[in-house]
Amino acid sequence: MAATDGKFRHESLQDRKSIKALLEAITKGIGKGELTLSEGDDCLTLPLDQLMTLRVKADRSDGTCRVDLRISWSERQTDLAERPAPTVK
């Protein structure tokens, strides 16, 4: 299957239980090696690699709390790993 580029964005007000369920679904997708995100007709499927970068940031300021999670990876990582190391002379 050919990969298609695209973007998915969603923002809404949710309670803790709903957010927990969403994070569990993301965890399940990571476990099976593929994430599919959808809302209405908007759908994006992301194949996952073995190595991913995880970034966690948190802050609290003036009564506002925030946690940012970012998981990123390259679909070409396998191709890059198979390339020989450069030679330096």
Side-chain angles (χ1 to χ4, degrees), residues 6-82:
K7 290 185 179 182
F8 178 86
R9 301 219 187 271
H10 174 85
E11 184 173 338
S12 62
L13 188 61
Q14 302 285 328
D15 61 18
R16 287 187 318 223
K17 186 176 180 180
S18 298
I19 292 172
K20 180 179 181 276
L22 177 62
L23 291 172
E24 288 170 345
I26 290 171
T27 300
K28 186 176 180 181
I30 290 171
K32 71 178 185 178
E34 180 178 272
L35 285 175
T36 299
L37 305 160
S38 64
E39 180 179 50
D41 292 339
D42 191 14
C43 181
L44 181 64
T45 298
L46 304 171
L48 301 171
D49 204 344
Q50 292 295 320
L51 294 176
M52 299 181 284
T53 300
L54 172 65
R55 183 175 77 180
V56 179
K57 292 174 29 177
D59 62 68
R60 183 171 76 185
S61 177
D62 295 326
T64 300
C65 301
R66 179 179 180 148
V67 175
D68 292 322
L69 301 172
R70 178 179 284 188
I71 302 169
S72 59
W73 63 95
S74 174
E75 291 179 314
R76 296 177 1 131
Q77 194 168 31
T78 304
D79 295 339
L80 294 174
E82 293 174 358

